[in-house]
Amino acid sequence: MSVLTYDPAVAAEALSATDARLAGLIQRVGPVRFGADRMRGDTFEVLLRAIVYQQLSGKAAGTIHRRVLALFGDNRASAAGLERLDDEQLRGAGLSANKLRAARDLAAHCLDGRLPGIRRLRRLDDETVIDRLTSVRGIGRWTAEMLLIFRLGRPDVWPVDDLGVRKGYAVIRGCEMPSPAVLADAGTVWAPWRSVAAWYCWRAAESPELASG
């Protein structure tokens, strides 16, 4: 689970002091609660789940993910364990050809050291983590940013491609939904606490009435 590298209460207080509109939302929503169930485990486990869940509904993806994990028996999912599974087993669990190739590439990156475990990732800066993760087939910047926020507990990640963050920002500001480029510039005012700002944007997207008071 995530071990935050900062105090979210301090972050929320700082954001409230710099932005009156956001301050109202923060007061109505309450403290940040980073649920990290989907980010449990080491790098391989987190990214394998991300690969399985891509472009599927939560229910269908969860079923396939459980079938894949069952192939590892009583052991945790691991790169070495995946190497011992044949393609037929993984396809039988529900992995598409593209996801099978992505899972194989993920295992290869973990086994040869190109992709470090969570403990080593903690020593790297945000952009280096993103570079390492996105070198794996099927892993994009958004997935890497979610790992930074929810698994590594980084304070200043601003996922401008996230639809929920874009919608939430528009709700808070009472404006049109910004493009990623516009949002990147607009979010600078919330540095160095943009992970927390993103969390409140998600809440605003889910419950717009909270942003208007």
Side-chain angles (χ1 to χ4, degrees), residues 13 19 29 36 40 58 62 64 68 77 101 103-104 109 120-121 127-128 135 140-141 165 181 212-213:
E13 184 176 355
D19 191 317
V29 172
R40 286 178 177 168
I64 294 172
V68 171
R101 286 192 289 270
R104 292 291 188 203
H109 274 73
R120 287 176 57 200
L121 284 178
E127 286 301 322
T128 302
S135 68
R141 185 179 181 91
V165 172
S212 58

Side-chain angles (χ1 to χ4, degrees), residues 21 24-25 28-29 168 171-173 203-204 207-213:
R21 294 290 294 273
L25 175 67
R28 288 184 285 274
V29 172
V171 169
I172 293 167
R173 287 285 181 258
R203 304 292 77 75
S207 304
E209 69 279 3
L210 291 174
S212 58

Side-chain angles (χ1 to χ4, degrees), residues 1-4 6 32-40 46 122 142-154 157 159 162 195 198-199 202-203:
M1 295 181 66
S2 172
V3 177
L4 295 180
Y6 62 97
V32 171
R33 298 176 298 280
F34 279 120
D37 288 349
R38 64 179 177 172
M39 289 289 177
R40 286 178 177 168
V46 172
R122 292 192 190 283
W142 180 87
T143 299
E145 289 170 337
M146 295 304 103
L147 186 142
L148 283 167
I149 293 172
F150 292 103
R151 188 66 179 86
L152 298 183
R154 299 293 173 85
V157 181
D162 187 281
S195 298
W199 189 87
W202 283 317
R203 304 292 77 75

